[in-house]
Amino acid sequence: MNTDVVIIDDDAVVLFLHKILVEKSPLSSALFCFDNGNDAYSYLCNRTTNEPLLVLLDINMPGMSGWDLLDKISQEQCDNNVWVVMVTSSINSSDKERAAKYSRVIEYLEKPLSKEACETLHSKVQHLLHS
């Protein structure tokens, strides 16, 4: 069983690269891309399906940051079937520690994603779906 994937990143090149990698991986049955947190938040809260959703979330974005978005979806419980992977260029260990405090965050990866990372995420999601 595959899951839908949402990629949120304000860098158009990274967004394009990650889109291609996810499309070529076994990770996604449907893919949605957003270049800002506000549009992504609207999508997440207005979904009409309860299908599992994997969010690949950039931390540092103008406007609504990845942290802001994570706080909003955690507080408002938009959907219980949402898992988040923080995908960032930050090598700050405090960011990784902060991400670990969110129950929705299942992984913390440095940009750019790789084919191997997508395959690992696919395995992790499959495990979550069947546990």
Side-chain angles (χ1 to χ4, degrees):
M1 172 194 247
N2 286 341
T3 185
D4 292 351
V5 175
V6 171
I7 303 172
I8 308 165
D9 199 303
D10 64 312
D11 183 323
V13 173
V14 171
L15 193 62
F16 177 76
L17 174 65
H18 288 176
K19 178 182 179 210
I20 298 299
L21 281 167
V22 170
E23 285 176 339
K24 291 184 176 190
S25 79
L27 191 59
S28 176
S29 58
L31 178 62
F32 306 90
C33 297
F34 298 94
D35 63 1
N36 67 79
N38 289 315
D39 290 345
Y41 176 71
S42 293
Y43 170 76
L44 292 172
C45 286
N46 291 310
R47 284 187 346 132
T48 57
T49 178
N50 200 27
E51 291 297 315
L53 183 68
L54 181 65
V55 177
L56 305 177
L57 179 60
D58 183 24
I59 291 177
N60 298 311
M61 297 183 290
M64 184 185 293
S65 72
W67 298 124
D68 296 336
L69 179 61
L70 208 55
D71 286 339
K72 287 183 84 87
I73 63 173
S74 294
Q75 293 167 359
E76 297 181 21
Q77 298 295 317
C78 292
D79 191 332
N80 290 326
N81 255 345
V82 175
W83 299 302
V84 177
V85 175
M86 304 304 286
V87 183
T88 181
S89 54
S90 172
I91 57 171
N92 190 338
S93 62
S94 66
D95 283 338
K96 191 170 188 173
E97 291 167 11
R98 183 176 178 187
K101 294 178 182 177
Y102 290 88
S103 61
R104 291 182 186 270
V105 175
I106 62 167
E107 191 67 65
Y108 184 97
L109 300 172
E110 289 183 27
K111 288 181 188 177
L113 282 178
S114 65
K115 179 182 175 190
E116 294 77 18
C118 289
E119 290 169 358
T120 300
L121 288 174
H122 175 68
S123 296
K124 187 172 253 189
V125 168
Q126 292 306 305
H127 178 74
L128 288 168
L129 288 170
H130 296 78
S131 58

